[in-house]
Amino acid sequence: MNAKTQIMRRHMIASEVPPYSPPTRFSEPRHPAVEFIGVHKWYGDYHALRDINLVVDYGARVVICGPSGSGKSTLIRCVNWLEEHQRGAIRVAGTELTQSLKQIDRVRQNVGMVFQQFNLFPHLTALQNCALAPIWARRIDRREAEERALQLLAKVKLLDQAHKYPAQLSGGQQQRVAIARALCMSPKIMLFDEPTSALDPEMVKEVLDTMTALAAEGMTMIVVTHEMGFARRVADKVVFMDQGEIVETGGPQEFFRAPRQERARQFLSQLLH
């Protein structure tokens, strides 16, 4: 296939892309999406997570906030075994995380994650980055994987950038490609680890708008962020952490208007003023 034919095929595929339809939500699941039960984690002598107890239901939007070093990213990375906890239990979509590779793989099939850094393959286009995992991990036909990738790139308003390489995209665009890439695996749960922290301020809004739209569709989301405006608008539960512990949880109105714990009040006063 010559270069001209390839370009024509790409334009034909893009023009034929049907609109993205979010996956059907499960009715009355028998278990929470994510459950932490008495979870502890150490790095050597450092006690990073202390007796974490937290339930995230399907369709929930949970924002985790707190000062740097409070354990937020460690907590979220434990959900798909990027970090291993040493005590307690974590259940994801009804599967308990253990050292069993089969259990870990089962959990990871249900969980998508977006990191601080975009982690796109620089030698692949946006389309190829999105289609790669379904082709290799799920053994999906390449054409089907590319069609779904184009649907999701359209969803994050990047269909016209599908054939560009990461170096040709802005930071905000690269992070939206990373979101589309995670969605290509049809996750039940999405994790966001400070997804806007590496972006210039003018690029933050486009990523938060994408996340807001995803939340409106009913995606289960756990978000580590310092974007308190996003937390106010989107979260149905705010979790405040400090020194590896959950200090306070509550609805966004309750948390932002009248936090119960002095440490949470101090944090908000520094962040909002």
Side-chain angles (χ1 to χ4, degrees), residues 24-73:
T24 302
R25 294 172 62 179
F26 295 93
S27 59
E28 299 298 330
R30 291 178 294 176
H31 47 73
V34 181
E35 189 174 12
F36 293 84
I37 305 169
V39 171
H40 292 258
K41 174 167 180 60
W42 288 264
Y43 294 104
D45 293 332
Y46 179 65
H47 202 168
L49 295 178
R50 301 168 180 264
D51 194 26
I52 300 297
N53 293 279
L54 179 66
V55 174
V56 179
D57 292 321
Y58 282 104
R61 289 96 58 196
V62 176
V63 166
I64 302 174
C65 61
S68 297
S70 60
K72 307 182 301 296
S73 292

Side-chain angles (χ1 to χ4, degrees), residues 34-36 39-43 48-50 52 64 71-87 89-92 95-98 104 107-108 111 113 115 191 193 222 224 241:
V34 181
E35 189 174 12
F36 293 84
V39 171
H40 292 258
K41 174 167 180 60
W42 288 264
Y43 294 104
L49 295 178
R50 301 168 180 264
I52 300 297
I64 302 174
K72 307 182 301 296
S73 292
T74 300
L75 177 66
I76 202 173
R77 289 169 68 88
C78 284
V79 174
N80 58 358
W81 203 254
L82 292 178
E83 297 286 354
E84 179 182 354
H85 62 286
Q86 283 84 34
R87 188 190 299 172
I90 300 175
R91 298 192 183 103
V92 182
T95 299
E96 183 166 348
L97 271 168
T98 68
I104 294 169
V107 164
R108 287 178 175 171
V111 177
M113 187 161 187
F115 300 88
L191 311 176
D193 186 8
I222 306 177
V224 173
M241 293 187 66

Side-chain angles (χ1 to χ4, degrees), residues 199-219:
L199 300 178
D200 292 334
E202 63 269 22
M203 298 177 185
V204 169
K205 183 178 183 299
E206 61 192 53
V207 173
L208 293 181
D209 286 348
T210 299
M211 293 169 61
T212 300
L214 192 60
E217 292 174 354
M219 175 61 76

Side-chain angles (χ1 to χ4, degrees), residues 2-259:
N2 59 37
K4 183 176 180 180
T5 304
Q6 288 180 332
I7 293 171
M8 290 178 64
R9 180 176 177 273
R10 288 171 180 172
H11 283 295
M12 288 174 63
I13 292 174
S15 64
E16 296 170 359
V17 174
Y20 167 75
S21 298
T24 302
R25 294 172 62 179
F26 295 93
S27 59
E28 299 298 330
R30 291 178 294 176
H31 47 73
V34 181
E35 189 174 12
F36 293 84
I37 305 169
V39 171
H40 292 258
K41 174 167 180 60
W42 288 264
Y43 294 104
D45 293 332
Y46 179 65
H47 202 168
L49 295 178
R50 301 168 180 264
D51 194 26
I52 300 297
N53 293 279
L54 179 66
V55 174
V56 179
D57 292 321
Y58 282 104
R61 289 96 58 196
V62 176
V63 166
I64 302 174
C65 61
S68 297
S70 60
K72 307 182 301 296
S73 292
T74 300
L75 177 66
I76 202 173
R77 289 169 68 88
C78 284
V79 174
N80 58 358
W81 203 254
L82 292 178
E83 297 286 354
E84 179 182 354
H85 62 286
Q86 283 84 34
R87 188 190 299 172
I90 300 175
R91 298 192 183 103
V92 182
T95 299
E96 183 166 348
L97 271 168
T98 68
Q99 293 184 333
S100 163
L101 294 178
K102 184 177 180 180
Q103 297 287 82
I104 294 169
D105 183 61
R106 184 180 300 166
V107 164
R108 287 178 175 171
Q109 288 185 25
N110 289 312
V111 177
M113 187 161 187
V114 178
F115 300 88
Q116 297 178 32
Q117 301 298 327
F118 323 124
N119 296 325
L120 300 177
F121 290 109
H123 63 292
L124 300 180
T125 65
L127 174 61
Q128 291 167 336
N129 266 283
C130 290
L132 186 66
I135 291 170
W136 287 97
R138 295 278 176 87
R139 304 298 180 187
I140 294 175
D141 175 76
R142 180 177 297 275
R143 184 177 179 85
E144 180 183 345
E146 289 185 349
E147 180 177 308
R148 176 163 174 77
L150 287 168
Q151 291 176 0
L152 288 161
L153 286 169
K155 174 181 172 60
V156 299
K157 298 181 173 57
L158 287 176
L159 183 59
D160 59 337
Q161 309 294 321
H163 303 293
K164 290 187 177 180
Y165 292 89
Q168 298 172 300
L169 302 174
S170 71
Q173 289 173 329
Q174 290 186 60
Q175 192 63 296
R176 284 186 284 155
V177 171
I179 293 172
R181 176 182 59 184
L183 292 173
C184 278
M185 292 294 283
S186 302
K188 297 177 184 176
I189 301 155
M190 282 289 291
L191 311 176
F192 295 86
D193 186 8
E194 300 197 33
T196 60
S197 64
L199 300 178
D200 292 334
E202 63 269 22
M203 298 177 185
V204 169
K205 183 178 183 299
E206 61 192 53
V207 173
L208 293 181
D209 286 348
T210 299
M211 293 169 61
T212 300
L214 192 60
E217 292 174 354
M219 175 61 76
T220 306
M221 299 169 62
I222 306 177
V223 184
V224 173
T225 185
H226 290 293
E227 299 290 341
M228 294 297 98
F230 173 83
R232 284 178 185 268
R233 294 193 311 273
V234 176
D236 49 30
K237 179 188 287 186
V238 178
V239 176
F240 175 72
M241 293 187 66
D242 190 31
Q243 298 183 356
E245 297 180 302
I246 292 179
V247 176
E248 183 166 343
T249 62
Q253 290 189 358
E254 172 190 356
F255 179 75
F256 288 108
R257 289 182 181 176

